[in-house]
Amino acid sequence: STLFPYTTLFRSPYRYLSEKLDSKRITQMVSFVSGAFAVGVLVVFHIPFDVQLANLGPIALFAIGGTGFSTMLFLVSLRMIGGVRTILLFSTNSVIGVLFAALLLGETITVMNMISVSLTFGGVFLLRNRLGSKQDEVTQPKQSSNLLLSPA
């Protein structure tokens, strides 16, 4: 395919970095670059930025706990269970968001929410079955067609 050289080119630095750096360092780098980009957008587009000193503590806690910790867990799971399983679990993020919004915030679950949850679970189910069948093909030994080499 024509996209193969591009995907290989862009994926190689990420693979190199993930093998050379630990998850905490990658999380720090991603957070710093993301924060710098956000501040850059504020400056370039002249977006007013008025934060009181008393608000910096809750903002920092939200950034570390909500974003940094989840990114670190995502990177750790990539190493521990592999990319495919991590993405399968990560794709259920929207389902968890719908459930927490209903339970904690008291939001109503709409028909569109139910459709999106159904599509998410359907996609995870299809991918899991597809991956499971490929793993079965890899782990099962192929039957030999030569009668002399096959055990009696």
Side-chain angles (χ1 to χ4, degrees), residues 130-150:
R130 182 175 174 202
L131 294 172
S133 65
K134 284 185 179 182
Q135 287 177 349
D136 289 343
E137 292 174 7
V138 172
T139 57
Q140 291 178 355
K142 293 186 178 182
Q143 296 293 331
S144 174
S145 61
N146 189 349
L147 294 175
L148 296 174
L149 296 177
S150 62

Side-chain angles (χ1 to χ4, degrees), residues 92-109 117:
T92 61
N93 187 17
S94 60
V95 175
I96 294 169
V98 168
L99 289 175
F100 280 155
L103 293 174
L104 298 177
L105 302 176
E107 293 186 13
T108 59
I109 297 177
V117 166

Side-chain angles (χ1 to χ4, degrees), residues 50-68:
D50 184 28
V51 176
Q52 304 299 322
L53 188 60
N55 295 337
L56 288 180
I59 290 172
L61 285 176
F62 178 75
I64 292 168
T67 306

Side-chain angles (χ1 to χ4, degrees), residues 49-137:
F49 184 70
D50 184 28
V51 176
Q52 304 299 322
L53 188 60
N55 295 337
L56 288 180
I59 290 172
L61 285 176
F62 178 75
I64 292 168
T67 306
F69 190 66
S70 64
T71 303
M72 190 181 81
L73 289 176
F74 178 77
L75 293 170
V76 168
S77 67
L78 276 174
R79 288 191 181 158
M80 291 181 70
I81 64 173
V84 175
R85 288 186 178 141
T86 300
I87 294 303
L88 283 174
L89 289 173
F90 187 69
S91 65
T92 61
N93 187 17
S94 60
V95 175
I96 294 169
V98 168
L99 289 175
F100 280 155
L103 293 174
L104 298 177
L105 302 176
E107 293 186 13
T108 59
I109 297 177
T110 64
V111 174
M112 189 60 75
N113 293 131
M114 295 305 295
I115 291 171
S116 68
V117 166
S118 301
L119 289 173
T120 299
F121 279 132
V124 168
F125 179 76
L126 290 174
L127 279 174
R128 181 64 189 134
N129 284 342
R130 182 175 174 202
L131 294 172
S133 65
K134 284 185 179 182
Q135 287 177 349
D136 289 343
E137 292 174 7

Side-chain angles (χ1 to χ4, degrees), residues 9-20:
L9 175 70
F10 289 118
R11 195 171 37 162
S12 296
Y14 296 116
R15 180 176 290 159
Y16 175 78
L17 286 175
S18 69
E19 291 173 357
K20 298 295 180 190

